[in-house]
Amino acid sequence: MNQNIPQYVALTFDDGPSAYTVSILDILKKYNISATFFVVGSEVKKFPNIIQRIYREKHIIGNHTWNHPDITTLSKNELWKEINSTNIQIKKIIGHSPDLFRPPYSSINDKNADAIKKFGMTSVLWNVDSKDWKEKSPLAIQKNVISGIKKKQSHCNA
């Protein structure tokens, strides 16, 4: 292992806020861990108090569109509407809009990437998928994350 390269894991949560977000926030608070929440605008509208808590507890809030579409199927105007309406909703609650954007399903193409940059947003993807959307067992989710991190770590140290 190369001791000169710092090793980091950035925790991110997508698709919320939801009923699960409060439990996630409780755990993060208990262990003094920061995370980034990529939120869906239609859910932000339903759960403004959770967005306030995410912000109050100094986590990062990013945009994950209004309705969670595959953005590669959208026109530039449709993409703008998805991003802008979410930014407006977030700004109503915390006083400013995010500058980070995560495309649903990690689906992005060059046309979208260029448009997102022009909208003043930075696209953030992931490199380890917990597959929590597929797995029901917390242990299976944990195994996916740990094995994914170990694979990435071995590539970095090769």
Side-chain angles (χ1 to χ4, degrees):
M1 181 175 192
N2 186 335
Q3 297 297 327
N4 296 327
I5 300 173
Q7 302 291 313
Y8 299 99
V9 173
L11 290 178
T12 62
F13 299 91
D14 295 356
D15 304 341
S18 72
Y20 299 108
T21 308
V22 172
S23 295
I24 292 168
L25 287 167
D26 290 344
I27 292 166
L28 294 172
K29 187 174 187 173
K30 178 179 178 179
Y31 294 100
N32 195 29
I33 297 170
S34 296
T36 302
F37 290 81
F38 289 96
V39 298
V40 175
S42 59
E43 298 301 305
V44 170
K45 189 173 184 177
K46 292 179 198 174
F47 299 102
N49 291 342
I50 296 175
I51 294 298
Q52 288 172 337
R53 180 174 172 193
I54 292 169
Y55 182 70
R56 189 175 57 249
E57 293 181 6
K58 301 195 183 335
H59 299 287
I60 296 170
I61 298 173
N63 185 320
H64 199 47
T65 70
W66 185 264
N67 286 314
H68 204 270
D70 176 348
I71 65 167
T72 62
T73 66
L74 303 180
S75 70
K76 185 176 178 181
N77 286 341
E78 290 169 325
L79 176 59
W80 170 247
K81 186 175 178 183
E82 286 281 334
I83 292 173
N84 192 47
S85 56
T86 301
N87 279 353
I88 289 169
Q89 190 65 41
I90 293 168
K91 187 174 182 177
K92 283 182 190 175
I93 298 167
I94 65 169
H96 63 86
S97 297
D99 56 4
L100 299 179
F101 175 77
R102 174 168 284 167
Y105 316 106
S106 196
S107 295
I108 192 165
N109 57 29
D110 290 342
K111 180 181 85 169
N112 297 133
D114 290 342
I116 292 162
K117 281 182 192 173
K118 287 179 182 164
F119 299 157
M121 306 286 291
T122 300
S123 294
V124 179
L125 302 178
W126 63 83
N127 54 13
V128 174
D129 187 352
S130 67
K131 296 186 176 64
D132 62 314
W133 49 271
K134 180 179 174 183
E135 302 285 354
K136 298 295 179 208
S137 160
L139 287 176
I141 295 167
Q142 178 184 352
K143 183 179 173 186
N144 289 338
V145 171
I146 300 299
S147 66
I149 291 169
K150 286 180 179 178
K151 284 179 190 173
K152 294 297 175 185
Q153 188 177 33
S154 68
H155 290 305
C156 290
N157 295 323

